[in-house]
Amino acid sequence: MSVETVDRVAAVTTGRPSTPLQTSWFEFLLDGSLLENHLQKSYPDPTPVQLIIQFLEQASKPSVNEQNQVQPPPDNRRNRTLKLLALKVAAHMKWDLDALEKGLTIPVLNMLLNELLCASKVPPGVKHVDLDLSTLPPTTAMAVIIYNRWAIRAIVLSSFPEKQTKPGPHQMNMLSIVQQEKEMTENILTVLKEQATDSISVLEGALQLKKDFYVHTLRTLDLLAADAAANGETECSTAGLRISADELHCQVHYDLGGIFFQQGCTDETAYEKARDHFRQTKELLTKLDSTVHVHLDEKRLAGYWNACKALTEDCDPSDSQNTPYNQINSLIRAHNYQAVIEAFIKDNVSLSLPNNFRRSVLREFLYKVQQGESSLDEVCYKLCVCNAVRDALEGEVLSVRFHQLLLKPSKRMVDFILEVCTLSLDKDRPSETSGRNMATFIKTLCETIEELPLLFVLSSHKLFMELLKEEDRKVLVEQLRKRSATINLSAKPLPSFYDIPASASVNIGQLEQQLILSLEPRRIRQILIELHGMAERPFWRVNSKWEVPPDYINVILGIKDNLTKDLVYILMAKGLHCISIKDFAHARQLFSACLELVTEFSPKLRQVMLNEMLLLEVRAHETMAAEGSKERPPPDLVSRVRGYLEMRIHDLPLRQVVGEECVAFMLNWRENDYLTLQVPPSLVMNNPYIKIGQLLASTCKELPGPKECRRTAKELWDVVVQICSMTIQHKRNNDGRVGLIKHRESSMGILYRSKFITFLKKLREPLVLTTLISLFVRLHSIVRDDIVNEVTAEHLTIWPSTLLNIQAVDVEAVAVTVKELVSYALTLNPNNQSWLITQADIYFVTNQYSAALNLYLQAGAVCSDFFTKAVPPDVYTDQVLKRMIKCCSMMNCHTQVAVLCQFLREVDYMTAFKALQEQNSHDAMDSFYDYIWDVTILEYLTHIHHKRGETEKRQIAIKAIGQTELNTSNPEEVLQLAAQKRKKRFLQAMAKLYF
């Protein structure tokens, strides 16, 4: 009895509920109607592509004779039926090559389409290019077209980088199977590439046919199986699924455009053919009413079209319909480089060009400079400045190349930077975020540039005066004074933002306008007195954007005197608005006036205002710290925060955000002794933020001692796991069955996850953030259960290694939280190498190899002064290096793989040799040979180039190996210096390539 039969019997006899068993392939042989019924299901199991694989796998199994010799698959009824079933499944999928290519490997799809040719009675032994499609039966002609469409699509798809599947340690025989399949794929692709010209001719011939086409359906295949074709039914013009000529032509034009575009790298005239085919595709798509049988990616088509127009110079810079891409490319071809720079500056406002396109343009110019066009040096640095300003406006990390520019600044460069900054700010629609980011950028320039004359240029510019806050300007000016006693900068005050007329107003409208604009408490009170003398109505409603927290609204609106009520409401609302825009000076004036007012009649409101003033001071100090101030908070402020946390006044409205930010404040300033030892136990039990703060403080405080730390870390772990768990409820459906409902925002934890994340983003103390990142990384690793691809972080050993109720944890929530937390931490300190490595690992385990490699390189750059020093071995561990190697391998940058293999403690010759055997490399190949110092690898390079007959590359390898400093007879110190020199140069080259 088979295993499947045993399962079926057990399910019936025990009466246990179970999911429906997967239908086995042989059941379709036994029941002729089962296939069609199975395919009509909403979610058939096995899926259609799985069925095709199973049918063809069984039909192609070799047999063994009596002498135990392996024989080819027999041509019997069973195997013919299995092949027919595979064709019927493909017919059900309407021969959609997109779907078939996603689910089937090239060998399986090749077998399937060859069976289609055979079943469609395509004459064997005759080349397709020699067939006259117009004379063939419709389904036969369509089979030829489908096969040749797939042939050129397979060539195009094989040129794209793809993820290589690698067997795990438990799959002992998988390596040979994968290797066999790879060899079969390569053999098939070799044949398809040899026949590519014929396939293109066949498809171009199909475009000449103006009649409708017909493709096999389940019915026509059944007729073929029953030998009903004798009466000509399957060959007549009405048999099969009808596909209009326009639909097929649209698809064929798209496929031909793809193959010609792929050939364009070796034959530039092919780009013009590709452009013509893509133009025809676009015209037919517009013409077609229905595109049921057209399967193409319209976004990819648009990308192809833009690329073809750029490569064939088929665009006019003055054409208003041109895309920004085409306009930039036209300007580059016309050598109008000044216009390119101006376009980049304008784009800093419009943000129409993606950053990766802008960087690719810069890389193109840098490549030209490397090829000897030194006249483009100025264009390169100006484009680099434009990109840096764009990055600054968007709050991104500035590139390594821009930092290198700042190492050798000039007045001309600084003037250009300031000009770009001025032109990049949108004057019509000024953005608070862009203004703040630009101020940070200018502050960075002031702190980076050391030449005093250039600093004077910066500090006297209008952007310095307008964008930087008075406190920042004073700090920077003071730094300048310390550098030079001769500095005499005028401390020009900022112009007043509001111009409040002093004269009395004559009507209510003017008074209300002044009330909205004024930030001076006495003036606000005077205006309200005048308004109440003219009309009796609630003037706190004048501006719909005046808002006070819901916790306070009832207390304020309960004030009996209308004038006092309006004044308290407006002063508080304006003060809160000033805090939100970080205008703390005006906020203090407004809150102080409000406190003075409510002290006279309401102890409750007095305490409310004291709490809000405490929040104001906390936020003001945290803002200064976030902007670079190292000054600790005054003891008075710390005492007031402690007093608030311990406050116990009944019937007093309290805003949760005040307590939340007070706890964050204590953590940020390392007041761990108070949180761990002095905070009353009752507070810990009743306030979730204090509970989390105490656990975080305890864990951070005891980090040097692993045993004690593990105990407190376990408590913090349990709290976070509860927050990230889902609540599962049982609910009875209408049909009486019990279902499960999962609530992601669980009420089991002491806080909802959304509130917890909001709290985390108020923390900025590095050790606290590192501890939290470590916790979530460990939790993420446990719920993800992927030992090979684990994310790394500091202090992972303090956390538990298992989880009891792992099913209750919301895996998606944990993954999102760890990504958000690391990204937030890097906004505070983009140069923290531990966080950079963790972020890189997150990208690595999610198969985003380019982004991962970028961050691994950033981590090395920040701890080696942009690779001018050696990267510490605890940063570039063997695990990190192996991941960098895999990133390069997955991007088909095989020469980079070979160079990185030398960085390992034990050189990985096997991986290096395997990488160098690859001929389809997407990196600069022989230009990286100068970075190889291992003589064994250089000797192997010489050997393979000789074997391939690549004389020029062999000479480059011989030149590299002939350098005297690589002579193995040299002292170890000389060899080590040679290796370190090449390491630094290689990493700098990689940084320029990937940053």
Side-chain angles (χ1 to χ4, degrees), residues 691-847:
K691 173 72 173 176
I692 293 171
Q694 185 188 60
L695 292 173
L696 272 171
S698 300
T699 305
C700 293
K701 184 180 175 183
E702 297 173 359
L703 267 179
K707 289 185 180 179
E708 297 80 1
C709 187
R710 282 194 179 124
R711 186 177 65 253
T712 54
K714 176 67 168 60
E715 294 179 37
L716 178 60
W717 170 272
D718 291 339
V719 168
V720 173
V721 168
Q722 286 287 79
I723 291 172
C724 294
S725 297
M726 296 179 290
T727 304
I728 302 176
Q729 292 183 346
H730 296 270
K731 184 178 179 181
R732 191 172 297 279
N733 300 327
N734 295 332
D735 56 4
R737 290 185 297 178
V738 175
L740 297 178
I741 299 177
K742 294 182 178 180
H743 298 279
R744 292 195 179 279
E745 285 285 353
S746 170
S747 58
M748 297 167 59
I750 61 175
L751 272 179
Y752 284 113
R753 190 178 67 87
S754 56
K755 291 185 176 180
F756 181 56
I757 292 176
T758 303
F759 172 68
L760 297 187
K761 290 187 177 179
K762 291 176 180 174
L763 302 173
R764 52 169 183 75
E765 209 287 313
L767 184 59
V768 174
L769 287 171
T770 299
T771 303
L772 284 164
I773 289 170
S774 172
L775 187 155
F776 275 101
V777 165
R778 171 50 65 91
L779 183 57
H780 182 254
S781 298
I782 293 174
V783 297
R784 196 167 173 269
D785 194 21
D786 185 354
I787 299 174
V788 178
N789 290 323
E790 283 192 344
V791 180
T792 57
E794 294 182 90
H795 311 305
L796 287 176
T797 55
I798 67 172
W799 310 111
S801 56
T802 57
L803 205 57
L804 295 178
N805 191 12
I806 195 169
Q807 293 81 8
V809 178
D810 188 344
V811 180
E812 183 181 347
V814 173
V816 170
T817 304
V818 73
K819 289 176 185 176
E820 283 189 27
L821 185 55
V822 178
S823 298
Y824 164 70
L826 285 172
T827 62
L828 299 176
N829 183 5
N831 296 330
N832 186 304
Q833 55 87 10
S834 172
W835 298 345
L836 285 167
I837 293 287
T838 301
Q839 180 79 302
D841 285 344
I842 291 170
Y843 283 130
F844 179 84
V845 301
T846 53
N847 303 331

Side-chain angles (χ1 to χ4, degrees), residues 127 266 469 492 681 779:
K127 286 186 175 183
T266 54
K469 296 178 182 177
K492 180 182 176 183
L779 183 57

Side-chain angles (χ1 to χ4, degrees), residues 965 971-983:
E965 59 186 356
E972 185 64 25
E973 294 80 4
V974 175
L975 295 174
Q976 285 295 330
L977 283 172
Q980 287 300 329
K981 172 184 166 186
R982 284 160 176 76
K983 279 184 182 181

Side-chain angles (χ1 to χ4, degrees), residues 168-422:
H170 62 285
Q171 298 168 301
M172 299 299 293
N173 62 339
M174 276 298 291
L175 190 58
S176 59
I177 295 172
V178 170
Q179 187 62 32
Q180 288 173 14
E181 185 172 316
K182 184 179 179 182
E183 289 176 2
M184 287 175 61
T185 301
E186 289 175 353
N187 292 336
I188 292 168
L189 285 172
T190 301
V191 174
L192 294 179
K193 288 173 183 176
E194 290 172 356
Q195 299 174 352
T197 305
D198 289 351
S199 293
I200 291 170
S201 299
V202 169
L203 295 175
E204 287 175 337
L207 294 174
Q208 305 305 315
L209 302 179
K210 305 303 179 185
K211 61 182 181 180
D212 290 343
F213 296 82
Y214 292 85
V215 67
H216 276 303
T217 61
L218 275 74
R219 178 173 172 275
T220 59
L221 290 169
D222 276 333
L223 293 173
L224 283 175
D227 202 22
N231 60 13
E233 184 175 357
T234 60
E235 298 180 5
C236 72
S237 61
T238 58
L241 175 66
R242 186 180 75 84
I243 298 175
S244 70
D246 283 345
E247 284 181 300
L248 183 71
H249 288 174
C250 181
Q251 189 71 65
V252 170
H253 276 302
Y254 178 74
D255 294 336
L256 284 172
I259 188 69
F260 282 127
F261 189 88
Q262 192 254 348
Q263 292 176 350
C265 57
T266 54
D267 177 13
E268 290 191 5
T269 59
Y271 286 128
E272 295 180 4
K273 297 179 183 177
R275 178 199 62 200
D276 295 338
H277 282 293
F278 289 132
R279 179 184 287 116
Q280 294 277 5
T281 306
K282 289 165 66 71
E283 290 172 358
L284 287 169
L285 272 177
T286 308
K287 176 182 174 183
L288 288 169
D289 296 326
S290 171
T291 56
V292 176
H293 304 299
V294 178
H295 304 284
L296 55 83
D297 185 342
E298 294 195 35
K299 288 184 179 179
R300 185 178 286 268
L301 171 62
Y304 271 137
W305 176 244
N306 287 331
C308 286
K309 287 175 68 177
L311 291 166
T312 58
E313 305 185 15
D314 185 25
C315 49
D316 180 4
S318 62
D319 184 2
S320 61
Q321 299 299 317
N322 255 339
T323 64
Y325 300 97
N326 292 336
Q327 291 172 357
I328 295 293
N329 285 316
S330 299
L331 294 170
I332 293 173
R333 279 195 303 274
H335 302 291
N336 191 353
Y337 301 134
Q338 182 58 36
V340 175
I341 295 166
E342 291 171 2
F344 269 45
I345 295 173
K346 289 178 182 176
D347 182 64
N348 284 349
V349 179
S350 62
L351 307 179
S352 57
L353 292 173
N355 280 326
N356 54 4
F357 175 76
R358 293 169 60 112
R359 290 174 189 139
S360 71
V361 172
L362 175 58
R363 282 197 295 270
E364 184 178 338
F365 279 103
L366 289 169
Y367 176 75
K368 290 180 180 179
V369 170
Q370 289 175 355
Q371 297 303 307
E373 296 185 44
S374 56
S375 60
L376 296 179
D377 267 334
E378 184 176 350
V379 178
C380 287
Y381 99 72
K382 287 187 174 181
L383 289 178
C384 182
V385 168
C386 293
N387 286 349
V389 173
R390 167 73 174 270
D391 289 338
L393 286 169
E394 295 184 337
E396 299 289 334
V397 179
L398 300 178
S399 69
V400 175
R401 185 168 297 281
F402 182 70
H403 279 288
Q404 290 173 334
L405 277 180
L406 295 182
L407 294 176
K408 296 180 180 178
S410 63
K411 184 177 185 304
R412 188 177 177 188
M413 181 195 298
V414 171
D415 287 341
F416 181 72
I417 293 173
L418 291 171
E419 179 188 351
V420 174
C421 291
T422 304

Side-chain angles (χ1 to χ4, degrees), residues 879-898:
Q879 179 181 348
V880 170
L881 290 169
K882 286 176 181 177
R883 291 189 169 186
M884 292 171 70
I885 289 169
K886 183 174 180 181
C887 290
C888 294
S889 177
M890 299 308 290
M891 293 186 292
N892 281 354
C893 297
H894 301 297
T895 318
Q896 295 172 15
V897 170

